[in-house]
């Protein structure tokens, strides 16, 4: 199973303050949906940070996101192992397919793949 990137999901009360702070370290805003914002390092787009004030379509906020090549295979592997799926495999309107799973430490992991 190929992993494309691993990104921390950081709860924020101020997108602007977060953006300005991390821009000082060289990050640039690459996506902003109003409830979630992604910053990336220029020249290294897999070095990212995600900030959110809530998750628009899931009952919980994830602690990290792992982008995989085949989200359906990852979902099946977690389901077969009896892992706790806390948000079902879903095609989201912003172009991703994802599910949330709880790890053995209680962390919620957003497992995601871009569609198309």
């Amino acid at each position: 199973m190929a992993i494309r990137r691993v990104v921390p999901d950081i709860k924020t009360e101020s997108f602007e303050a977060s953006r300005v702070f991390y821009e000082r370290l060289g990050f640039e805003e690459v996506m902003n949906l109003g409830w979630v914002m992604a910053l990336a390092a220029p020249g290294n787009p897999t070095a990212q940070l995600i900030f959110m004030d809530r998750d628009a379509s899931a009952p919980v906020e994830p602690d990290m996101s792992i982008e995989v090549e085949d989200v359906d295979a990852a979902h099946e592997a977690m389901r077969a192992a009896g892992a706790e799926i806390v948000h079902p495999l879903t095609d989201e309107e912003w172009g991703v397919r994802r599910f949330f799973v709880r790890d053995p430490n209680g962390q919620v992991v957003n497992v995601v793949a871009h569609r198309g």
Side-chain angles (χ1 to χ4, degrees):
M1 188 173 315
I3 297 171
R4 295 183 177 204
R5 66 187 167 115
V6 178
V7 181
D9 292 327
I10 302 166
K11 183 84 169 155
T12 187
E13 293 182 12
S14 174
F15 290 105
E16 180 65 13
S18 296
R19 185 185 52 73
V20 168
F21 179 87
Y22 285 97
E23 280 179 344
R24 292 184 187 115
L25 294 173
F27 284 91
E28 294 178 347
E29 184 178 305
V30 294
M31 185 264 300
N32 191 328
L33 299 178
W35 59 272
V36 62
M37 173 182 70
L39 305 180
N44 185 3
T46 62
Q48 291 189 1
L49 300 170
I50 293 176
F51 298 89
M52 65 177 55
D53 62 3
R54 62 180 163 64
D55 193 292
S57 69
V60 297
E61 288 83 33
D63 298 299
M64 75 176 81
S65 294
I66 300 175
E67 183 182 355
V68 296
E69 188 172 285
D70 186 343
V71 71
D72 292 281
H75 181 264
E76 178 55 29
M78 288 296 161
R79 194 194 60 69
E84 180 187 358
I85 306 296
V86 296
H87 181 63
L89 190 58
T90 305
D91 290 325
E92 302 288 6
E93 65 183 32
W94 55 92
V96 301
R97 183 167 172 80
R98 68 182 184 154
F99 70 96
F100 292 4
V101 62
R102 192 173 312 276
D103 82 1
N105 306 298
Q107 303 298 300
V108 176
V109 181
N110 173 29
V111 183
V112 61
H114 289 273
R115 293 191 321 258

